[in-house]
């Protein structure tokens, strides 16, 4: 992809994410992109694989569902307004249309009826069950294997200093082949710039919740810590881990169970922690090579701010 096009679309995505709770017009978004309004829609659709309106609607709904689950005391109407919906009735209809379940069913999975009528399934082919949003509902066998019962005891709060990064985004979201190909390119880049494999600090920035977002739409960025002043050129990008407090959970186990470890931070630890998530994506620091070992060992980071 042309470097200039990519940078412009990235600016658009950041603008949309920062303004999901407001009325977003195609003209305003096109102005942010610096593309002609007559052509911007086609450019966005060609690069992102969905229209601007579909992207905005999907992101509002994904954000809303996360709030429904992880902020159970916030009324549905407030969640709707916070996520840019004009009323709880419009919000409920949109949730039902997209996910196949009502907001009340998402908050109470035991009352949910099996459904495949949602747009999420018909358009993206993604199987969705409300119970998948709740790590406390995983089976006893999985609990014994991955030991999430003592999540609160395992999590520590760390102060991190700013770290400059060289990053590369996965072109296929969370699909494993895309992730591994992205890491191979980034690890090779680091080696060519004098960072030995055993010295590489590898972090992934995970922007989306794969229980509600189709895997190929999840945004995943591989990154390696670099020294200040190191030149980074396309297709790689310069970024940083900001300084601050982070909740850190050590996880070692099957790759497919990492989502339960991630969700356990939000559902089991955060509510009584005195903190809430800051506006920065979840990070995973890899401590081994899952392809070689057959399991993953990592530290999961969530940036925090005080309530």
């Amino acid at each position: 992809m042309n470097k200039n096009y990519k940078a412009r679309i990235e600016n658009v995505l950041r603008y949309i994410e920062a303004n999901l709770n407001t009325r977003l017009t195609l003209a305003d978004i096109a102005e942010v992109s610096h593309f002609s309004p007559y052509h911007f829609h086609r450019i966005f659709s060609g690069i992102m694989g969905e229209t601007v309106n579909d992207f905005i609607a999907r992101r509002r709904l994904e954000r809303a569902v996360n709030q429904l689950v992880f902020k159970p005391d916030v009324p549905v109407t407030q969640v709707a307004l916070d996520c840019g919906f004009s009323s709880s009735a419009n919000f409920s209809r949109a949730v039902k249309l997209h996910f196949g379940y009502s907001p009340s069913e998402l908050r109470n999975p035991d009352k949910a009826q099996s459904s495949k009528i949602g747009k999420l399934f018909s358009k993206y082919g993604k199987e969705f069950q409300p119970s998948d949003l709740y790590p406390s509902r995983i089976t006893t066998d999985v609990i014994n294997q991955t030991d999430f019962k003592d999540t609160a005891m395992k999590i520590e709060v760390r102060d991190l200093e700013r770290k400059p990064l060289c990053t590369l985004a996965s072109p296929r979201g969370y699909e494993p082949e895309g992730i591994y190909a992205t890491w191979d390119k980034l690890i090779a880049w680091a080696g060519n710039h004098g960072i030995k494999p055993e010295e590489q600090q590898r972090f992934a920035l995970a922007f989306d919740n794969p229980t509600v977002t189709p895997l190929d739409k999840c945004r995943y960025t591989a990154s390696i810590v670099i020294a200040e002043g190191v030149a980074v050129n396309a297709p790689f990008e310069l970024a940083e881990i900001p300084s601050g407090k982070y909740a850190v959970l050590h996880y070692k186990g099957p790759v497919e169970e990492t989502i339960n470890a991630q969700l356990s931070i939000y559902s089991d630890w955060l509510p009584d922690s005195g903190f809430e998530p800051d506006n920065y994506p979840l990070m995973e620091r890899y401590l081994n090579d899952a392809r070689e070992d057959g399991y993953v060992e990592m530290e999961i980071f969530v940036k925090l701010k005080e309530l």
Side-chain angles (χ1 to χ4, degrees):
M1 186 192 308
N2 179 280
K3 180 181 178 181
N4 185 269
Y5 271 52
K6 182 178 179 181
R8 292 191 192 186
I9 294 299
E10 287 292 336
N11 285 338
V12 167
L13 298 182
R14 283 191 287 268
Y15 176 79
I16 291 174
E17 290 292 331
N19 294 279
L20 280 175
N21 62 336
T22 65
R23 182 174 178 269
L24 291 164
T25 68
L26 186 59
D28 291 337
I29 298 171
E31 184 176 352
V32 171
S33 75
H34 299 293
F35 288 117
S36 163
Y38 298 104
H39 303 292
F40 166 70
H41 195 284
R42 293 185 181 89
I43 293 171
F44 186 95
S45 298
I47 292 174
M48 298 300 297
E50 58 188 328
T51 68
V52 180
N53 288 337
D54 282 351
F55 177 83
I56 292 171
R58 178 173 63 79
R59 287 299 301 132
R60 279 180 173 152
L61 287 165
E62 290 167 357
R63 177 178 290 186
V65 167
N66 282 320
Q67 289 195 21
L68 284 172
V69 173
F70 299 123
K71 295 183 177 180
D73 296 330
V74 177
V76 170
T77 299
Q78 189 61 52
V79 171
L81 297 176
D82 288 346
C83 294
F85 293 88
S86 59
S87 69
S88 59
N90 288 338
F91 173 60
S92 295
R93 281 194 293 270
V95 170
K96 183 77 172 183
L97 181 64
H98 187 78
F99 291 99
Y101 299 91
S102 67
S104 62
E105 288 177 311
L106 296 180
R107 277 189 161 169
N108 299 281
D110 291 338
K111 298 180 181 180
Q113 301 294 318
S114 180
S115 173
K116 289 187 178 181
I117 64 172
K119 184 178 180 181
L120 185 61
F121 180 81
S122 61
K123 181 173 182 179
Y124 299 103
K126 179 177 175 56
E127 298 279 357
F128 174 79
Q129 293 293 332
S131 58
D132 293 341
L133 295 164
Y134 297 86
S136 60
R137 294 174 175 270
I138 57 180
T139 66
T140 301
D141 288 342
V142 171
I143 289 176
N144 291 336
Q145 183 178 17
T146 54
D147 195 21
F148 295 132
K149 292 180 292 185
D150 299 322
T151 294
M153 299 297 293
K154 289 183 176 182
I155 291 179
E156 61 175 303
V157 176
R158 291 186 199 167
D159 289 301
L160 294 188
E161 297 181 353
R162 175 187 172 276
K163 297 178 184 292
L165 302 171
C166 176
T167 71
L168 185 65
S170 168
R172 298 168 60 187
Y174 281 16
E175 292 183 351
E177 295 82 0
I179 288 177
Y180 290 139
T182 299
W183 274 111
D184 286 342
K185 292 177 183 178
L186 185 60
I187 289 169
W189 178 93
N192 291 334
H193 286 74
I195 309 175
K196 298 177 181 178
E198 64 271 16
E199 297 174 353
Q200 294 174 9
Q201 297 181 55
R202 302 170 185 171
F203 289 86
L205 306 182
F207 293 82
D208 300 299
N209 180 351
T211 58
V212 298
T213 303
L215 288 183
D216 64 333
K217 300 297 183 186
C218 288
R219 293 161 294 165
Y220 178 101
T221 299
S223 61
I224 288 179
V225 176
I226 58 176
E228 296 284 358
V230 172
V232 175
N233 299 310
F236 307 95
E237 294 187 355
L238 182 66
E240 67 175 41
I241 297 174
S243 62
K245 291 186 181 297
Y246 291 78
V248 184
L249 172 64
H250 181 269
Y251 170 76
K252 181 178 180 180
V255 174
E256 59 271 16
E257 297 300 338
T258 56
I259 182 60
N260 291 320
Q262 294 172 358
L263 293 178
S264 71
I265 299 175
Y266 294 90
S267 63
D268 300 336
W269 183 81
L270 271 169
D272 298 317
S273 68
F275 296 100
E276 63 178 314
D278 203 351
N279 188 28
Y280 188 72
L282 178 145
M283 291 193 304
E284 299 171 342
R285 182 186 179 187
Y286 300 120
L287 305 176
N288 75 323
D289 188 331
R291 286 178 287 182
E292 293 182 1
D293 299 333
Y295 65 88
V296 65
E297 184 173 6
M298 68 169 71
E299 291 179 326
I300 303 170
F301 291 74
V302 174
K303 194 172 188 298
L304 303 171
K305 62 180 179 180
E306 294 187 2
L307 287 171

